[in-house]
Amino acid sequence: MTATDVARADVERAAGPLTGARPLLAVAVRQDARNLAPWVALISALSASSILAYAWIFPSADDRSGLARTLAGNPALSLLFGPARDLMTADGFNSWRAGQLGALFAGLMAILAVVRNSRADEDSGQAELISSGVLARGSRLAVALLIALIGSVALGVVCFLITIAVGGGMVSSLILAATFTASGLVFAGVAAVAAQIGSDARTASSISIAVLGICYVLRGYIESSGADGWTTWLTPLGWLEETRAGTDNNPWPLLLPVALAILLVLAAFTLQGRRDFGQGMLAPRPGPGGAGLASNVWGLALKANRTSLITWLIAFAGLGLVFGNLASSIGDLLKDNPAMSQVLAAGGAGASDLTFAFLVTILQIIAIIASIMGVQVILRIYAEEVDYRVEPLLAGSLRRSTYLASNVVVALGGTALAMILAGTGLGLVASAKDSSIGIGDVVRQAVVTVPAVWLLVGIAVAAVGAVPTRRLIAWLGVVATFGLTILGPTFNLPDWALDISPLRHVPNVTASSPDWAGLLWLLVIAALFILVGFTGFRRRDII
């Protein structure tokens, strides 16, 4: 046997469905570590801070009993965090505060990792360059899934170690950290399938995140509406909830997400073998013969965001209809829980109108989601810039301020329309179930909430326009508003801290004397942020 024959035999033995995956994984891990690390740190901090804050904020048994009475059965908080089963221990509090949010973020981390390392590389052309070497067809998808697996396992290990280091229970912390890993595995599988279906990386991400969002909202609705216990098993996030970390510590439900992840991965590899490279199972439609809507910069901005806007607006209409159903049960819950009544009343309504105060809280949650949509639209301005699609536009007679204004109008108009759609759906269902609620009042409350959303969008405009390298400030504003609005009253934060949230200054339209001055200040501050963005965009260099 000659040396050539030996070499050929070695190649044949090495050849397989995952040829080239090992060196590609080593490179991908080094490149993607910086993208995964913030997610691991954020979710681990969410868990550890719950353990640390619990003993500090609720030092006595009376404080903890008061917390349990306040949060038990609160539908608005169950919608976001899941049921509060045991708030008398730090581990039970950690499971309630970090469990579902951590699972949501872990799923998002896995989705972005898989799409970034699979379809996004095909869109950019990097995948074609890599595939020109010795690389099997399934290796890139395998590497993308392994990156998500490594990130999810790293999240579980780091979260577990940090949580027990700050005082968390060994078993409960392990179960909670394992739910984060399980969520990452499931939604990595979802993203792998979506990457084969979607026509490009953006479509694949949208499909995956939509599945994650539907699972989260459906789980929240089931928990908040008092549905039968078996309905919890309808979603993967419900399976994670059934581990009951901090109370029963039941690990067996974790087998379900692992089995689902394996099935999804097998389906993804099967689909990959049946699609063309660079194409999805859903082929994109050919574009129109003429410029159409994109014949001017205003139409171009609308067209660039049209698909995501339509998806978001449908979601907001659905949220309004779903959340409106919760209003029918709030009366009975309030009757049995005076402490919860005080919390809801603190939102600005009088004690005689607690059902409307609950709707105000729901509108605040919807407003935070709407601000995510607005920030997403604004951040796309910079994404278009780094893809070198803005410079050719500005090379002609198009002014920078006009280009920026076209996108800002889409963001402001889209968020306003989203709030009105959600408020209309919320009011329609709530008024049909409770005659004391006026649909006009709910819609007007949704409208007066819009300036608070615009302020958060304005922060994004200021960041992208003036200092795009600090554009994460936009997300910081959304996260801070969420924490101050939803968790601030629970943690008894002082008024000056709660006042930082723009939603704190939204007047209640059913109050005897609404504070309209707060609304005016919101508009002024939002305008100032937008002015900073326009000034900075006019002066800074364009990539």
Side-chain angles (χ1 to χ4, degrees):
M1 180 178 289
T2 64
T4 304
D5 293 332
V6 172
R8 184 182 296 113
D10 290 341
V11 170
E12 289 175 352
R13 280 195 296 271
L18 299 180
T19 299
R22 187 173 178 178
L24 182 59
L25 176 64
V27 174
V29 168
R30 285 198 297 272
Q31 290 182 340
D32 221 37
R34 67 181 63 181
N35 294 316
L36 297 175
W39 291 98
V40 173
L42 170 68
I43 300 169
S44 300
L46 182 67
S47 175
S49 65
S50 299
I51 298 294
L52 292 172
Y54 185 74
W56 173 47
I57 300 175
F58 310 105
S60 68
D62 289 341
D63 295 329
R64 296 169 184 180
S65 298
L67 174 70
R69 288 194 303 271
T70 302
L71 299 184
N74 187 325
L77 295 179
S78 292
L79 188 71
L80 293 174
F81 302 103
R85 292 193 171 90
D86 180 12
L87 297 177
M88 296 302 292
T89 65
D91 290 319
F93 179 75
N94 183 28
S95 175
W96 170 75
R97 180 173 176 263
Q100 285 299 315
L101 275 185
L104 175 71
F105 293 149
L108 194 57
M109 174 191 73
I111 287 171
L112 297 178
V114 170
V115 175
R116 184 170 55 242
N117 288 281
S118 55
R119 286 309 303 276
D121 284 347
E122 292 185 29
D123 294 349
S124 66
Q126 292 183 4
E128 186 175 11
L129 180 63
I130 294 172
S131 298
S132 64
V134 181
L135 190 72
R137 182 179 178 86
S139 296
R140 285 192 311 100
L141 178 59
V143 167
L145 287 166
L146 286 173
I147 291 290
L149 173 64
I150 292 171
S152 300
V153 172
L155 166 61
V157 172
V158 172
C159 181
F160 168 68
L161 294 176
I162 291 180
T163 304
I164 62 172
V166 299
M170 183 72 72
V171 177
S172 59
S173 299
L174 181 61
I175 295 290
L176 184 64
T179 63
F180 299 156
T181 299
S183 178
L185 297 181
V186 168
F187 290 101
V190 171
V193 173
Q196 316 313 314
I197 296 175
S199 57
D200 52 27
R202 185 171 299 170
T203 305
S205 297
S206 299
I207 294 173
S208 308
I209 293 174
V211 172
L212 175 62
I214 290 171
C215 289
Y216 189 77
V217 171
L218 179 60
R219 190 280 317 158
Y221 179 76
I222 290 171
E223 300 287 358
S224 306
S225 61
D228 294 338
W230 64 268
T231 57
T232 306
W233 297 92
L234 292 176
T235 71
L237 295 180
W239 304 342
L240 304 180
E241 188 64 49
E242 286 301 315
T243 57
R244 299 173 182 260
T247 53
D248 298 339
N249 293 322
N250 179 16
W252 297 114
L254 293 173
L255 294 177
L256 288 174
V258 173
L260 178 60
I262 293 173
L263 291 175
L264 289 169
V265 168
L266 293 175
F269 277 105
T270 302
L271 292 174
Q272 189 194 40
R274 299 181 178 181
R275 71 174 177 89
D276 293 332
F277 183 86
Q279 301 292 322
M281 303 294 288
L282 300 177
R285 294 179 303 175
L293 188 64
S295 60
N296 60 73
V297 67
W298 302 94
L300 178 63
L302 183 60
K303 186 174 183 178
N305 295 282
R306 182 174 57 185
T307 303
S308 63
L309 280 177
I310 292 174
T311 305
W312 274 107
L313 293 177
I314 293 173
F316 277 103
L319 283 176
L321 297 174
V322 170
F323 291 166
N325 276 298
L326 297 178
S328 61
S329 59
I330 189 64
D332 295 335
L333 291 170
L334 293 173
K335 191 185 303 177
D336 298 334
N337 195 335
M340 186 176 70
S341 302
Q342 293 176 6
V343 171
L344 293 178
S352 61
D353 196 10
L354 293 175
T355 302
F356 192 82
F358 169 74
L359 294 178
V360 171
T361 304
I362 292 296
L363 283 172
Q364 289 177 338
I365 296 172
I366 293 174
I368 293 170
I369 300 174
S371 67
I372 293 174
M373 182 187 79
V375 169
Q376 188 182 53
V377 172
I378 297 301
L379 291 184
R380 184 167 180 175
I381 298 172
Y382 186 70
E384 293 288 307
E385 189 178 335
V386 297
D387 285 341
Y388 304 105
R389 287 196 283 262
V390 175
E391 189 177 15
L393 292 174
L394 299 178
S397 59
L398 178 62
R399 299 172 59 187
R400 292 189 179 195
S401 58
T402 305
Y403 172 75
L404 182 60
S406 64
N407 288 274
V408 171
V409 166
V410 170
L412 298 182
T415 51
L417 186 57
M419 289 301 301
I420 293 172
L421 275 176
T424 304
L426 187 66
L428 279 172
V429 178
S431 61
K433 291 181 172 293
D434 188 341
S435 59
S436 66
I437 300 173
I439 181 175
D441 291 336
V442 180
V443 174
R444 284 194 297 136
Q445 187 64 42
V447 171
V448 299
T449 308
V450 170
V453 179
W454 284 354
L455 191 150
L456 296 175
V457 176
I459 294 175
V461 175
V464 170
V467 281
T469 55
R470 300 288 185 270
R471 60 191 180 282
L472 288 181
I473 292 173
W475 292 122
L476 181 62
V478 176
V479 172
T481 301
F482 173 81
L484 291 170
T485 305
I486 305 301
L487 294 177
T490 303
F491 289 150
N492 298 320
L493 294 182
D495 286 340
W496 67 264
L498 297 176
D499 285 343
I500 296 174
S501 168
L503 293 171
R504 172 91 163 173
H505 305 282
V506 174
N508 187 321
V509 297
T510 60
S512 56
S513 55
D515 182 13
W516 301 111
L519 203 62
L520 179 62
W521 277 111
L522 289 175
L523 288 170
V524 170
I525 296 173
L528 288 175
F529 277 126
I530 292 173
L531 180 62
V532 169
F534 272 83
T535 304
F537 194 70
R538 190 173 62 249
R539 294 181 177 179
R540 72 172 173 86
D541 294 333
I542 299 294
I543 297 176

